[in-house]
Amino acid sequence: MGQQSLISSLSAFELKEGNAFPLGVTLQSDGCNFSVYAPDAEDVIICLFDKNEQALAQITLQQRVQSRWFGFISNVGTEHLYGLRVKPKSSRRVHPESSINKLLIDPYAKSLNRPLNWSSQLYEGDSSMMIPKAHILAPSPENYLPVKLLAKQRVIYEAHVKGLSKLHPEVPEALRGTYLGACDPAILQHLKELGVTSVQFLPLMTFMPESFATDKGLTNYWGYNPINFFAPEPRYAAHDALKECKEMIAKYREANIEVILDVVFNHTSEGGSDGPVLSFKGLCEAHAYLQEYNDESDANQYVNYSGCGNTLKVSDPFVMQLVIDALRYWVTTMGVSGFRFDLASIVGREVFEFKNTATFFKILRQDPILKSAVMLAEPWDIGPGGYQLGQYPDYWLEVNDKFRDVVRGFWRGDKGLKSEFATRFMGSRDVFRKNVRPMHASVNNVSYHDGFTLHDIVTYQDKHNLANLEDNQDGHNHNLSANYGHEGETDDPAINQIREQQKRNLFATLLLSQGTPHILGGDELSKSQLGNNNAYCQDNELNWYNWDLLPRQKAFLAYCQYVVNLRQSHSLLQHMNFFDDVYDNQQNIIFADWYRRDGSHKRDIDWVNHEHHCFALHIAGEGNSRENTQLHKQEWLFCVNSLDQNVVFNLPMLKEVDEWACVLNTSEADTSLYASQLVTSKFDLPARSFLVFCKR
């Protein structure tokens, strides 16, 4: 590239005095201000393109204040696209491929014109053909605040924006798998009928599938490989990703459903030292990524606490500002209600060590917008000291993997889990300590996108990931699953009966436990990934939701709707406040008594008897229901049997049989039969079943 090409090729574009703030582009009536953070640059060049990506001009910015390069270019408008080029400082140790030949994506770009796909051929030399270009946009109004929702009412549904509607027969074919498909009335109706309050979308920010997946003909379906933290992913657009993503979020808000955005502020798709130069590596490599000096090579090397080649250095002032600006943008301009942070321990590292008093957490607590948004952590990364479950500030929610493992193991029949199961059921107060953290801080799940679906937990003993083309070496081996006599699908009615019952047990435990329930989208539809517990690279029917349901799948969907409604209809089931927990002053529990199956109170020794898999919990307190909004005394009785044989329960509180009604019986698929079940103090509790009684 010659020196002559570094200046404007069209006299229509004139460089004038600009402003250092704000970063990114600011469109005005007579042109556009550009501001770029580039401490590694000797020159920063604005590359202008038309809508067909034909180069129009390359203009070198002349103004600089420390690491910010800026200028105003006249006659630039929304009909133009742009990218960046940087001539690196000769004195800086920058990435070896950082050169003026690499077109860079502006970290503050709000919209890209097409998806970013890896191509070694197009990346070689001048990478302009591979790199998408950023739109120049008119300023957007900041109209939104997070949807207001009581924490105790929150039921989270994790969904993939494409998979949600790709196979739905009522969604117009042209919109299936898009932002507009995900907010189709048929989808919203399903979510409302299920009873969820919040949809947690897998990443919607622009990403690039990894080269090793692309080279095998696969992709990154999940989207956990970002390159920009503002621009919505173009893959999910029918025409205009920004407009359609914003419309989708608005329709969820109109339906009174929170949108929680899964965000990846732990790494980018530029990978490690051998990864491509796409954005940050060309602008501010040492500021963007965590590195440590290696005295043997006399060079800095990438720290890889994400497992993806690099670690975002959130403690750096520029990166921290970038992340906070992105969060505020997604709330105020796009309309989301909160965020789920992937590998969240990385955002709390200062620089290498996690601290729950990190500057990032302090900024969120005082920010006038973000302090009201949902903050949900995946509370670990793969670095030293990365597992931090229960250690986040009190306003954070945390994904509780201990709940997942204990509940799966207990219902599978594993020994020695009864006492811990009871602890998880009552809010995991050993992890989320009373007086310090609210009960809803524990985000309970039995399945998540990175693992078996609920149906596969009871259908496969082992993972089956050959479709990922990694010789079945990827994905976890510790799945706490069972196949109950046959690996995979079967026509055996006895096996299928056990599987469906176990699904009912797992789902009921999830919804009736204290904390915030998290449902993996598609579980209510009995979605299967054929035993693949790491289906990140499968953009096909393996991941897309199947809406064509068999009779037993329809019955399970009706059951899921029933159980969510049971929780949402009674405030006492949503949140229990005990007298010895003074996190707030909203005590609503009178007593909570644990019983053996013979009706006597549990003793300490009973909790460590590994042969006992049965117990009853009797709770009384003050609560209300949808039908009666006034507080009144409620009594609930939970009876659990994880053995593979029936057991006799004899519970004296049920002697007044006319005062009690059965509201849940997981041994029965038909929810309409629960209310007619005969209530007696002495009864057989079927194998692998969960009964709930409510005092009338």
Side-chain angles (χ1 to χ4, degrees):
M1 177 175 292
Q3 181 66 29
Q4 186 176 3
S5 64
L6 301 184
I7 62 174
S8 173
S9 62
L10 295 179
S11 58
F13 301 116
E14 182 181 356
L15 180 64
K16 299 181 179 181
E17 185 174 337
N19 294 298
F21 296 95
L23 287 167
V25 300
T26 305
L27 186 64
Q28 300 177 21
S29 59
D30 56 343
C32 187
N33 190 80
F34 293 82
S35 180
V36 180
Y37 180 78
D40 294 341
E42 183 176 305
D43 285 313
V44 173
I45 302 143
I46 305 300
C47 303
L48 297 174
F49 303 85
D50 65 16
K51 290 297 184 181
N52 297 316
E53 298 193 36
Q54 294 298 309
L56 297 176
Q58 299 191 70
I59 302 171
T60 303
L61 297 177
Q62 301 298 319
Q63 292 175 274
R64 179 181 63 81
V65 174
Q66 289 188 320
S67 298
R68 294 172 183 263
W69 297 78
F70 55 97
F72 182 90
I73 303 176
S74 65
N75 297 315
V76 173
T78 56
E79 68 274 18
H80 299 121
L81 305 171
Y82 79 100
L84 308 174
R85 293 187 190 272
V86 163
K87 180 181 179 182
K89 290 179 179 177
S90 58
S91 60
R92 285 289 181 93
R93 287 186 176 183
V94 297
H95 192 280
E97 288 191 356
S98 293
S99 75
I100 208 164
N101 286 326
K102 299 306 177 189
L103 189 70
L104 306 176
I105 297 170
D106 180 5
Y108 274 82
K110 305 302 190 296
S111 175
L112 299 182
N113 70 325
R114 56 180 168 83
L116 174 60
N117 292 301
W118 170 251
S119 169
S120 57
Q121 181 179 0
L122 295 179
Y123 179 76
E124 187 72 25
D126 191 315
S127 63
S128 179
M129 294 293 291
M130 189 187 104
I131 303 299
K133 316 305 185 288
H135 289 106
I136 294 173
L137 305 169
S140 296
E142 296 186 346
N143 294 329
Y144 296 112
L145 290 173
V147 171
K148 295 295 183 182
L149 181 70
L150 293 177
K152 68 180 184 180
Q153 297 174 333
R154 184 172 286 118
V155 176
I156 298 173
Y157 181 93
E158 184 185 24
H160 189 284
V161 72
K162 180 176 183 178
L164 188 58
S165 68
K166 183 63 177 175
L167 298 178
H168 200 295
E170 297 180 38
V171 175
E173 189 170 355
L175 300 181
R176 293 175 190 171
T178 68
Y179 295 115
L180 298 182
C183 63
D184 185 88
I187 299 292
L188 293 175
Q189 180 182 354
H190 171 78
L191 296 173
K192 296 296 285 187
E193 290 176 350
L194 183 57
V196 300
T197 65
S198 314
V199 171
Q200 176 184 308
F201 278 115
L202 270 67
L204 300 182
M205 297 173 179
T206 299
F207 66 91
M208 183 183 79
E210 296 86 348
S211 59
F212 67 82
T214 301
D215 292 343
K216 292 186 292 187
L218 300 172
T219 187
N220 186 322
Y221 173 75
W222 288 347
Y224 289 91
N225 204 34
I227 192 55
N228 179 279
F229 301 136
F230 293 87
E233 173 52 54
R235 286 173 176 80
Y236 308 138
H239 302 289
D240 185 328
L242 177 61
K243 178 182 177 182
E244 294 166 20
C245 181
K246 191 171 183 179
E247 181 178 342
M248 177 191 74
I249 295 168
K251 287 188 176 180
Y252 275 78
R253 292 177 65 100
E254 291 169 6
N256 202 33
I257 297 175
E258 289 182 323
V259 171
I260 298 173
L261 182 61
D262 201 332
V263 291
V264 185
F265 295 126
N266 56 71
H267 78 283
T268 76
S269 55
E270 290 186 303
S273 58
D274 58 345
V277 175
L278 307 171
S279 181
F280 299 98
K281 280 184 178 177
L283 297 167
C284 54
E285 181 179 21
H287 296 257
Y289 300 118
L290 203 58
Q291 300 179 45
E292 58 185 358
Y293 179 73
N294 186 318
D295 57 358
E296 292 188 6
S297 62
D298 189 29
N300 289 332
Q301 64 182 26
Y302 275 67
V303 174
N304 187 15
Y305 293 163
S306 67
C308 299
N310 64 56
T311 303
L312 203 66
K313 190 178 179 181
V314 180
S315 60
D316 179 88
F318 165 70
V319 178
M320 188 171 297
Q321 177 188 353
L322 175 73
V323 171
I324 295 296
D325 286 348
L327 294 174
R328 287 179 61 90
Y329 175 81
W330 279 95
V331 172
T332 61
T333 301
M334 299 299 289
V336 306
S337 293
F339 306 92
R340 180 265 189 187
F341 289 74
D342 182 66
L343 299 181
S345 291
I346 286 174
V347 302
R349 288 187 179 270
E350 291 193 332
V351 172
F352 294 98
E353 181 182 356
F354 175 88
K355 297 180 180 179
N356 65 3
T357 57
T359 303
F360 181 75
F361 296 142
K362 293 176 181 177
I363 291 174
L364 293 183
R365 187 187 289 277
Q366 63 80 41
D367 187 277
I369 298 296
L370 298 178
K371 68 182 180 182
S372 300
V374 178
M375 297 292 161
L376 197 169
E378 181 183 42
W380 52 76
D381 61 35
I382 68 169
Y387 187 79
Q388 293 291 334
L389 179 67
Q391 302 306 309
Y392 281 70
D394 64 344
Y395 60 94
W396 280 72
L397 310 179
E398 300 179 42
V399 177
N400 188 351
D401 62 322
K402 290 187 176 181
F403 179 95
R404 175 200 64 200
D405 290 352
V406 169
V407 170
R408 285 192 189 186
F410 176 80
W411 283 114
R412 190 173 67 167
D414 295 2
K415 293 184 177 182
L417 294 177
K418 179 178 55 180
S419 61
E420 192 172 356
F421 176 86
T423 300
R424 302 291 156 247
F425 187 75
M426 294 304 291
S428 295
R429 299 310 265 168
D430 60 331
V431 177
F432 303 95
R433 294 167 293 162
K434 62 184 179 182
N435 308 326
V436 178
R437 300 291 297 277
M439 191 89 78
H440 61 259
S442 175
V443 176
N444 302 327
N445 73 92
V446 293
S447 52
Y448 225 82
H449 70 270
D450 51 350
F452 277 155
T453 66
L454 178 61
H455 184 77
D456 287 356
I457 291 169
V458 301
T459 307
Y460 294 91
Q461 181 75 36
D462 303 307
K463 65 182 183 182
H464 297 268
N465 296 357
L466 287 174
N468 299 347
L469 303 182
E470 296 182 44
D471 296 325
N472 209 37
Q473 298 302 306
D474 61 308
H476 288 293
N477 294 315
H478 184 63
N479 294 297
L480 294 163
S481 60
N483 62 30
Y484 300 99
H486 180 84
E487 186 74 355
E489 299 296 337
T490 179
D491 294 328
D492 188 316
I495 293 177
N496 285 329
Q497 188 278 327
I498 294 173
R499 290 176 176 177
E500 293 300 310
Q501 186 164 322
Q502 290 288 60
K503 285 162 58 178
R504 293 192 290 271
N505 287 327
L506 291 165
F507 194 84
T509 304
L510 172 64
L511 267 294
L512 298 180
S513 294
Q514 293 300 291
T516 302
H518 172 286
I519 302 168
L520 174 62
D523 276 353
E524 79 282 12
L525 305 173
S526 299
K527 178 178 179 288
S528 174
Q529 293 169 184
L530 304 181
N532 192 322
N533 72 352
N534 188 36
Y536 77 99
C537 56
Q538 301 296 327
D539 187 2
N540 49 48
E541 289 85 351
L542 201 67
N543 264 316
W544 304 338
Y545 300 11
N546 176 26
W547 299 89
D548 185 15
L549 304 183
L550 300 171
R552 70 168 178 263
Q553 294 171 329
K554 291 179 180 178
F556 185 68
L557 172 58
Y559 170 84
C560 292
Q561 294 167 340
Y562 174 87
V563 176
V564 176
N565 181 69
L566 181 64
R567 176 190 174 95
Q568 298 293 62
S569 296
H570 298 90
S571 64
L572 208 63
L573 296 181
Q574 295 173 341
H575 190 57
M576 297 181 186
N577 297 85
F578 292 84
F579 73 92
D580 61 344
D581 185 352
V582 294
Y583 181 82
D584 58 34
N585 63 350
Q586 304 297 313
Q587 179 187 343
N588 63 0
I589 297 297
I590 301 169
F591 65 78
D593 292 332
W594 300 87
Y595 290 90
R596 294 154 53 105
R597 56 191 174 112
D598 63 4
S600 60
H601 284 279
K602 281 281 189 185
R603 301 165 298 176
D604 289 346
I605 195 172
D606 293 322
W607 292 113
V608 295
N609 186 332
H610 297 340
E611 300 305 318
H612 289 186
H613 293 244
C614 311
F615 64 83
L617 170 61
H618 183 200
I619 287 179
E622 287 190 328
N624 57 36
S625 63
R626 286 175 178 168
E627 293 74 24
N628 185 354
T629 58
Q630 299 298 315
L631 287 177
H632 60 280
K633 184 179 178 182
Q634 293 184 4
E635 290 190 48
W636 295 86
L637 184 62
F638 304 89
C639 303
V640 173
N641 173 23
S642 66
L643 287 170
D644 59 1
Q645 60 188 21
N646 296 359
V647 295
V648 176
F649 270 65
N650 192 352
L651 302 175
M653 72 286 296
L654 292 179
K655 287 182 178 179
E656 303 295 334
V657 294
D658 293 337
E659 296 184 5
W660 291 88
C662 177
V663 295
L664 183 76
N665 181 353
T666 61
S667 67
E668 173 56 63
D670 188 349
T671 60
S672 67
L673 300 178
Y674 298 164
S676 61
Q677 177 168 318
L678 180 65
V679 178
T680 62
S681 58
K682 187 175 183 180
F683 60 93
D684 271 353
L685 186 58
R688 301 186 180 101
S689 63
F690 185 5
L691 264 64
V692 179
F693 300 94
C694 179
K695 204 164 188 179
R696 301 179 192 275

